[in-house]
Amino acid sequence: MLQIRLCLRKAGRLTAASRIVKHLQAWLRAFLPQASAQGMTRWPLPEPMQRALAQARLAAEAGEVPVGAVVVHKGEIIASAHNAPRETCDPTAHAEVLAIRDAAAALGRERLTDCELWVTLEPCAMCAGAIAHARIARLYYAASDPKGGAVEQGAKVFEQDQCLHRPEIYAGLGAEPASELLRDFFRQRR
């Protein structure tokens, strides 16, 4: 079943968010049997996550860890990238950082306050810092990263008092295909 997690960290909003998620899950349970009867077996991923997954596949083909990212501005994809630290000999060339750089250049500004970032893996601490500095409005990520993630795992960057900006965070959308890409990539290297 579709797993939906809405992460709102501000006090008081968590209860309201939990109620919204419960109502949405109830609606999905009611709708899914009808959808299955009509031949629909799964929800299509939004275009930005599909594009991020396509970027992750490009990374895997290039021998990079398969992570892809897309920046959306006013409903339009303005930047996309995949991990490229080996290709560029740049340890900061993570998909999120490259996509944020391209989006800032495309818009001609360093603040991306009206943009969304879609990424296939939970951002690390470096990327979470870049997201905060860019003032990304919403972060969507597919797979959680228990080892290197810094949003809901590890450092939990956006929960720190020192964090300059906290985007809205939506996790789990596209987690299955993103996780499979990562598992396949690392299985081939062992």
Side-chain angles (χ1 to χ4, degrees):
M1 178 168 199
L2 179 66
Q3 180 183 10
I4 298 173
R5 289 186 284 161
L6 175 64
C7 301
L8 295 173
R9 301 293 187 210
K10 296 206 175 185
R13 290 175 54 189
L14 191 56
T15 303
S18 296
R19 277 184 274 148
I20 291 168
V21 169
K22 285 180 185 175
H23 289 296
L24 185 56
Q25 287 172 333
W27 180 83
L28 286 171
R29 279 193 295 277
F31 179 78
L32 283 177
Q34 296 169 354
S36 295
Q38 297 169 4
M40 185 173 147
T41 58
R42 67 185 331 167
W43 294 96
L45 287 174
E47 177 63 21
M49 188 56 77
Q50 290 179 30
R51 292 276 295 274
L53 286 163
Q55 285 292 317
R57 285 189 281 279
L58 290 174
E61 290 170 12
E64 302 280 0
V65 175
V67 178
V70 168
V71 177
V72 175
H73 178 253
K74 296 182 180 178
E76 181 183 336
I77 295 172
I78 60 167
S80 60
H82 60 74
N83 272 4
R86 288 175 178 84
E87 175 185 328
T88 61
C89 296
D90 177 0
T92 69
H94 289 197
E96 301 94 323
V97 171
L98 296 175
I100 288 170
R101 287 176 185 163
D102 290 349
L107 295 175
R109 55 189 163 100
E110 79 280 6
R111 300 281 192 243
L112 304 177
T113 55
D114 49 356
C115 292
E116 303 170 348
L117 177 65
W118 294 72
V119 63
T120 59
L121 184 64
E122 178 181 357
C124 69
M126 176 186 69
C127 293
I131 291 164
H133 282 283
R135 308 296 198 267
I136 296 285
R138 281 171 295 289
L139 167 64
Y140 298 86
Y141 67 89
S144 292
D145 184 358
K147 291 183 180 178
V151 176
E152 68 177 327
Q153 317 287 329
K156 298 182 182 179
V157 170
F158 301 121
E159 292 182 19
Q160 303 304 315
D161 291 338
Q162 298 84 0
C163 187
L164 304 170
H165 170 75
R166 291 166 180 84
E168 293 176 26
I169 299 166
Y170 303 89
L173 191 61
E176 187 178 317
S179 296
E180 188 61 33
L181 270 171
L182 288 159
R183 278 191 298 272
D184 287 347
F185 178 81
F186 288 111
R187 191 178 303 126
Q188 292 172 6
R189 273 143 188 78
R190 291 190 179 122

